[in-house]
Amino acid sequence: MSAGVGQVVRVGDELPPLEIEITRTLIVAGAIASRDYQDVHHDAELARQKGSPDIFMNILTTNGLVGRYITDHFGPAAVLRRVAIRLGAPNYPGDTMVLTGTVEEVAAEGAELKGDDAAGKKVTVRVVGANGIGKHVTGTVTVSVPGGAEGVGRS
Amino acid sequence: MSEQSGGDLDARLKAYEGRAAAVAGVGKDRVNEPMIRHWCEAMGDRHPAYAGPDAMAPPTMLQAWTMGGLSGHSGHTGRSQAYDELLGLLEGAGYTSVVATDCEQEYLRPLRPGDEITFDSMIESVSARKTTKLGTGYFVTTRMDVRAGGRPAGTHRFRIFKYAPAVRKPRDPEAASPSTEAAVSEASTVSRARRPRPVVNRDNAGFWEGVARHRLLIQRCDGCKTLRFPWLPGCNACGSLGWDTVEASGEGTVYSYVVMHHPPFPAFDPPYAVGLIELTEGVRMISNVVGVPHDEVRIGMPVRLEFERADEELELPVFRAVAAVEGSGG
């Protein structure tokens, strides 16, 4: 999964998929790291009382994973500008979520600040995270990719 | 149509739109390295910009800095009385469960250790009562402005579904055989599920009688001759109660459309396209677009009426894409 130095980002490019094992540990660690103590994200018994078959991943963790998927691909200089997600099928323990992405838009960015040569790109990626029961997340991420006029740096 | 009590509650909930959800909230912790590191460990995120002395926080942590944690926000900061009242109203009406459905964030500048976070948010919208696979309830959308050291740092739109859970059948695939049988019988129920029945009353009975004879009938005002669809007791243009009907030719175009993916309902097989069809007579109606993959439906696409039998009791007007005529470029 590398967008090599000098590689051109084009509309329609597909990002390599990222598989995330949905463990109980990931769900709980993500909930606590995001300061979300809703019982449905750590207490299976209370989750069942509320009509859910088990604990499930909170939206902040999904948001964090989607952001990571994009910056993992575009490299250390990539900066997230916008993340918009919608949740569908919950991520329950034992499932696997596969994140996939398609480049939807590539725009010049910062030309007025850096001059045309140094201008980065603003790349918008459509992201889908599918698990065993459906689409857990759909959304779009806009990321700034600085560097050469066409290239995406990755060390 | 909502029932009486639902309608009353809808109006009371709607009144909260535009009111503050959080006023002058202050993040419980300044942006700090340990919380950043714990986040990155949980997410498996090894982005180098998020580590070291010049670290920036992962932008997706935006909301985490505003969370009340176990002890919650208190006093005059954080959650507003209006937001508590709104959630209280929903709880009191039996919509006790909550799930987050949407999160839209924009990041204006990086957050770094030491930044003090402040925030305000407002109740942007409260939906009408909706039924999803989870149950019945209301979507509540809030929009938050987040500042760091007093300067705008990001915006955060968040939508929750506050609902009364639907009665759930066993679904655990690892459970013992009894629930496997339950799952199988649930599956066979699904395959036999029937589409919802139309509510036929004296105002629209003529339409359904037309459908039964494979005629799509549009109402026409006796007074001003304006066509109208769907069927209504009176004319929107002149108020006249007299009318007759015109049979639609069946030709039309896709005026707009949506593709249904989620949530799935038993009688439907997503994804499928729902079109707003503009008939050549000028009125529009909502129907299925068939004969074309759901992702190839387009605005302006010509369609032609046909009648589709859903089951032994129900026939519905649907619209089939008319194959594009070849040639004649330019």
Side-chain angles (χ1 to χ4, degrees):
Chain A
M1 47 184 291
S2 64
V5 175
Q7 184 173 323
V8 177
V9 182
R10 289 196 190 86
V11 171
D13 281 358
E14 292 190 1
L15 277 58
L18 174 64
E19 279 195 18
I20 309 251
E21 300 296 327
I22 310 303
T23 62
R24 210 165 277 279
T25 303
L26 171 60
I27 293 169
V28 174
I32 302 310
S34 57
R35 307 273 297 149
D36 184 347
Y37 290 85
Q38 295 276 342
D39 50 32
V40 290
H41 305 311
H42 64 259
D43 187 326
E45 196 171 324
L46 291 179
R48 277 192 284 274
Q49 280 177 24
K50 291 186 175 172
S52 175
D54 205 331
I55 64 168
F56 56 92
M57 182 176 284
N58 72 338
I59 194 167
L60 289 89
T61 301
T62 303
N63 207 40
L65 292 172
V66 167
R68 172 195 151 195
Y69 174 54
I70 296 301
T71 49
D72 273 2
H73 176 73
F74 287 102
V79 180
L80 296 173
R81 298 298 180 199
R82 180 172 186 273
V83 176
I85 59 170
R86 168 164 293 181
L87 297 193
N91 267 344
Y92 295 117
D95 207 339
T96 300
M97 173 171 72
V98 181
L99 287 162
T100 52
T102 309
V103 175
E104 241 180 16
E105 198 182 336
V106 180
E109 182 186 59
E112 71 285 0
L113 297 175
K114 305 170 190 168
D116 283 343
D117 290 342
K121 293 285 176 193
K122 209 156 92 172
V123 181
T124 301
V125 182
R126 176 90 191 146
V127 176
V128 176
N131 62 22
I133 49 176
K135 285 179 184 168
H136 168 66
V137 58
T138 52
T140 55
V141 179
T142 303
V143 61
S144 289
V145 184
E150 295 297 332
V152 176
R154 182 177 171 84
S155 54
Chain B
M1 289 278 177
S2 299
E3 59 197 43
Q4 196 71 41
S5 60
D8 287 350
L9 182 62
D10 280 18
R12 289 174 71 194
L13 296 171
K14 216 63 181 152
Y16 284 88
E17 288 184 350
R19 296 184 64 183
V23 180
V26 178
K28 297 200 126 186
D29 300 283
R30 285 174 180 259
V31 176
N32 64 85
E33 278 184 75
M35 282 175 64
I36 294 173
R37 189 167 55 76
H38 297 165
W39 172 282
C40 289
E41 281 182 6
M43 304 300 158
D45 198 332
R46 287 182 285 276
H47 195 302
Y50 307 155
D54 297 325
M56 64 178 269
T60 49
M61 278 188 85
L62 188 69
Q63 186 187 0
W65 304 114
T66 70
M67 297 288 279
L70 264 183
S71 51
H73 288 291
S74 58
H76 295 292
T77 70
R79 223 145 96 162
S80 75
Q81 196 183 340
Y83 195 60
D84 284 340
E85 278 175 22
L86 170 59
L87 294 188
L89 258 180
L90 287 164
E91 295 264 339
Y95 304 104
T96 51
S97 293
V98 66
V99 65
T101 61
D102 294 77
C103 174
E104 298 173 23
Q105 299 181 332
E106 275 189 79
Y107 314 113
L108 304 176
R109 63 194 185 85
L111 299 179
R112 298 191 188 278
D115 283 341
E116 185 183 55
I117 300 298
T118 50
F119 55 93
D120 289 277
S121 86
M122 65 169 271
I123 300 163
E124 197 172 68
S125 67
V126 184
S127 74
R129 191 171 56 166
K130 303 276 187 182
T131 297
T132 75
K133 202 178 177 191
L134 286 172
T136 297
Y138 294 83
F139 289 93
V140 178
T141 307
T142 53
R143 184 185 184 282
M144 178 182 281
D145 290 306
V146 181
R147 294 174 301 273
R151 294 167 56 205
T155 60
H156 169 60
R157 179 178 282 115
F158 201 63
R159 187 168 301 130
I160 61 169
F161 184 50
K162 193 90 178 100
Y163 66 100
V167 177
R168 180 177 285 274
K169 294 177 183 167
R171 53 168 295 162
D172 184 351
E174 288 166 17
S177 55
S179 71
T180 307
E181 284 164 23
V184 170
S185 72
E186 183 179 28
S188 59
T189 306
V190 166
S191 68
R192 281 186 277 109
R194 304 200 311 166
R195 298 188 41 147
R197 303 293 102 173
V199 177
V200 180
N201 55 38
R202 64 183 176 182
D203 291 330
N204 67 11
F207 170 75
W208 292 105
E209 286 161 12
V211 169
R213 288 178 288 127
H214 285 194
R215 296 175 66 201
L216 181 62
L217 298 180
I218 304 167
Q219 273 178 309
R220 178 172 56 189
C221 175
D222 263 0
C224 68
K225 303 298 177 193
T226 302
L227 297 178
R228 66 175 185 261
F229 194 92
W231 281 42
L232 292 166
C235 177
N236 271 337
C238 73
S240 166
L241 298 177
W243 54 269
D244 62 1
T245 61
V246 174
E247 182 176 356
S249 69
E251 305 297 323
T253 54
V254 174
Y255 183 82
S256 185
Y257 66 95
V258 294
V259 176
M260 275 296 298
H261 291 273
H262 193 82
F265 289 92
F268 297 86
D269 184 23
Y272 56 91
V274 180
L276 179 62
I277 308 302
E278 184 163 278
L279 302 177
T280 50
E281 289 78 11
V283 298
R284 296 177 195 148
M285 69 179 286
I286 292 170
S287 178
N288 288 106
V289 182
V290 302
V292 58
H294 64 87
D295 55 356
E296 290 176 20
V297 175
R298 292 292 178 269
I299 288 171
M301 181 177 263
V303 291
R304 186 173 297 136
L305 172 71
E306 62 181 53
F307 290 87
E308 185 175 280
R309 180 160 285 286
D311 53 57
E312 66 279 8
E313 288 171 5
L314 182 63
E315 235 179 335
L316 294 168
V318 298
F319 288 84
R320 181 170 294 275
V322 178
V325 182
E326 289 216 9
S328 75

